[in-house]
Amino acid sequence: MLITDDFLPVPVPESLTATYLVPTSGQSCPAPAEAVAALGRRVSRPVHDLARQMLASPLMTVDTRPIAEFPHLPPDLLTAFGATEAQLARLDAATDLVVVQASYRPGWPPAHEWAARTVAAALAERLGTDVVDVFALQFLDPATALRSLPDAEGRIRLIDWVLVPYSSDDGGLWFTTKGLRRFGLLELQAQGVPTHLTRAWGAVMTGVARRLLRAWSDGLTDQEVPAFVPLPVMTSVTGHDIAVAYGNPQQHDSGRPAALRLELDPATDPDADSFLTLLPPAGHPGPTRRYFAAVCAAVFGSAQSDVRYARPDDAMAQAIATARAGLPGIRERFLAGSLPDRVQLLVKYALPTEEGPEFVWAGVTSWATPERIIGASASDAAADPTVRVGRPVVVDVVDVVDWALVDGSGVVEGGWTQAVLDAGDRSQG
């Protein structure tokens, strides 16, 4: 294929390997095929068939080994990627690790990842333990791992497979992706991102990753694995790309496409990662950080906000303490389906900004793990253009300051911080 200055030749690995660990404490490992069969309709038929086929081939291995044979898994990194104290304790108490490993050629579908995660989740469920995704150094409970697998149409939420960590330096934030190498593609990076765009730019990176992954997969459709795939130097990202990556393709797209330039940044150290770097278009005047801000404004649009900021007085502190004390109970009622009919559970949580936290509401759609809530935003955020009414959000429970049950008439239970705000407004009226 002819490569011009409009394309980057991105190298393709010959094969890819997925590795998952299942910690155990002296338990016998169930037969993998039986564990997969027991999943029934909780995984799609294509995924179920793929796991069975890989298990029956030399492309997948399932072995149980003493944990002492493995390098120590760093608890600080596991914690940084969401590990709970309970998960770390189970790993610390484990005597053995079930190692599920699968290899396959680059291309779509990524059979090695789909099959290995399926088998590991099935075994962890039978053993009553966790899955450790070695690539991401991330714990997954079996239910979460199973939900991340593709549906009958082959669709996934990219956020279940690609993380976007960041760190700060004097020039702003350094963002990278962690997960594109699962599919053979180089990871993305962006440097000098303004700190107030933390959430917005993470969503932009996820949307770009989704678009590039499609182009990458389209270049791997031949039977022979090519030496490289040409990716366009200029790419774009839209609100629709982001919505699909977050698993909500019906989300209304109120923004405009934004262009970004790709630059290949090969590693000089053989043990380090190469990156595809996101930059403004060539010749763009002004600093990179200003262009990144313009990208977020274009993709997410703008909206008037009526978000309220909490006042740090004694009444508000007591309201937050009351609400947080009730979180375990309301989660239990939510999961048990024992909430009153025709009510919705909302949570109020803090978004970090340069001027202090901003508090917004979200409707709860899933609360599978105590530490994290999946929902849809119930209000627009002033400081974060990704938080718009109806758009999906992931809320860390440590950021929650209130909850409420609401129906057509208003709040029927909870809403303690809002009551403090309303009382302050009445006293000033």
Side-chain angles (χ1 to χ4, degrees), residues 44-203:
S44 66
R45 174 54 59 184
V47 171
H48 190 275
D49 292 343
L50 177 62
R52 291 179 59 195
Q53 292 165 10
M54 293 283 280
L55 274 169
S57 78
L59 297 174
M60 177 179 283
T61 58
V62 180
D63 299 311
T64 301
R65 305 177 199 168
I67 197 169
E69 293 183 5
F70 292 84
H72 183 62
L73 293 173
D76 53 340
L77 287 178
L78 290 167
T79 300
F81 286 109
T84 66
E85 290 296 331
Q87 289 169 331
L88 292 172
R90 285 192 290 271
L91 177 63
D92 189 57
T95 58
D96 301 285
L97 291 173
V98 181
V99 184
V100 180
Q101 197 164 65
S103 299
Y104 203 65
R105 54 158 283 171
W108 201 267
H112 59 298
E113 284 288 353
W114 291 180
R117 186 172 286 198
T118 301
V119 172
L123 293 173
E125 185 173 76
R126 294 286 292 271
L127 292 167
T129 185
D130 312 292
V131 176
V132 180
D133 175 3
V134 172
F135 179 90
L137 276 180
Q138 187 177 37
F139 273 98
L140 300 170
D141 63 81
T144 299
L146 293 173
R147 283 196 301 272
S148 71
L149 295 167
D151 62 16
E153 304 297 324
R155 296 170 298 197
I156 60 167
R157 298 192 323 163
L158 193 60
I159 58 171
D160 292 329
W161 298 88
V162 176
L163 306 175
V164 187
Y166 63 89
S167 58
S168 61
D169 57 31
D170 293 340
L173 299 177
W174 174 38
F175 278 80
T176 62
T177 58
K178 186 174 180 61
L180 289 177
R181 281 196 297 112
R182 298 179 189 273
F183 311 106
L185 182 58
L186 297 180
E187 303 290 359
L188 299 177
Q189 70 171 354
Q191 295 173 298
V193 179
T195 56
H196 70 280
L197 295 178
T198 302
R199 286 175 178 256
W201 192 255

Side-chain angles (χ1 to χ4, degrees), residues 307-392:
V307 174
R308 312 281 292 278
Y309 290 81
R311 292 185 289 273
D313 54 23
D314 291 342
M316 182 61 70
Q318 182 60 49
I320 293 172
T322 301
R324 289 189 59 80
L327 285 173
I330 196 62
R331 175 177 181 264
E332 183 177 348
R333 291 163 61 191
F334 174 79
L335 295 176
S338 60
L339 298 179
D341 293 337
R342 294 183 294 278
V343 302
Q344 183 182 17
L345 173 59
L346 302 179
V347 292
K348 187 180 190 179
Y349 64 102
L351 290 171
T353 77
E354 292 182 341
E355 299 177 355
E358 178 182 355
F359 298 94
V360 291
W361 289 91
V364 178
T365 58
S366 174
W367 201 344
T369 61
E371 301 83 9
R372 185 164 296 174
I373 298 170
I374 308 298
S377 185
S379 54
D380 292 344
D384 189 337
T386 66
V387 180
R388 294 289 179 261
V389 172
R391 284 185 174 166

